Amino acid sequence: MSTNTLSKETETRLIDFFNKSVDPQSMAKTIRRLNYLLALSIMRDYQTLQTDKISIEDGFYWLNELAEVLNPYLNVE
């Protein structure tokens, strides 16, 4: 996995966005719901999965990672 550094401006804008605009728990819930709907859609139309399988897998992974950062659900003991 590669590590990309964000510019200070991007960092500031992200912090502002998540601190002022979005409730982290509802954003995480929305991301998880979206991932679920995408998975259902892809399973119903299997041909799409064959064309862009790697991109779809990466998208699911990163959306789930973002949801975990916003609201750690899977790491709760």
Side-chain angles (χ1 to χ4, degrees), residues 3-43:
T3 335
N4 295 329
T5 56
L6 300 173
S7 70
K8 275 295 187 193
E9 179 187 349
T10 304
E11 234 177 86
T12 304
R13 291 176 70 193
L14 280 170
I15 289 169
D16 287 347
F17 176 76
F18 285 113
N19 285 339
K20 296 177 184 172
S21 305
V22 175
D23 171 38
Q25 288 182 328
S26 65
M27 175 71 115
K29 185 177 180 180
T30 302
I31 290 170
R32 289 184 180 109
R33 186 178 297 137
L34 176 64
N35 253 0
Y36 172 74
L37 292 173
L38 286 171
L40 275 179
S41 170
I42 289 168
M43 285 188 294

Side-chain angles (χ1 to χ4, degrees), residues 21-77:
S21 305
V22 175
D23 171 38
Q25 288 182 328
S26 65
M27 175 71 115
K29 185 177 180 180
T30 302
I31 290 170
R32 289 184 180 109
R33 186 178 297 137
L34 176 64
N35 253 0
Y36 172 74
L37 292 173
L38 286 171
L40 275 179
S41 170
I42 289 168
M43 285 188 294
R44 289 182 179 153
D45 186 19
Y46 188 72
Q47 292 156 350
T48 305
L49 184 62
Q50 294 305 317
T51 5
D52 206 9
K53 185 177 181 179
I54 293 172
S55 176
I56 292 169
E57 287 174 357
D58 287 347
F60 283 132
Y61 174 80
W62 288 115
L63 281 174
N64 282 327
E65 285 294 308
L66 178 58
E68 281 300 301
V69 167
L70 294 172
N71 180 20
Y73 178 76
L74 299 174
N75 294 332
V76 174
E77 302 210 11

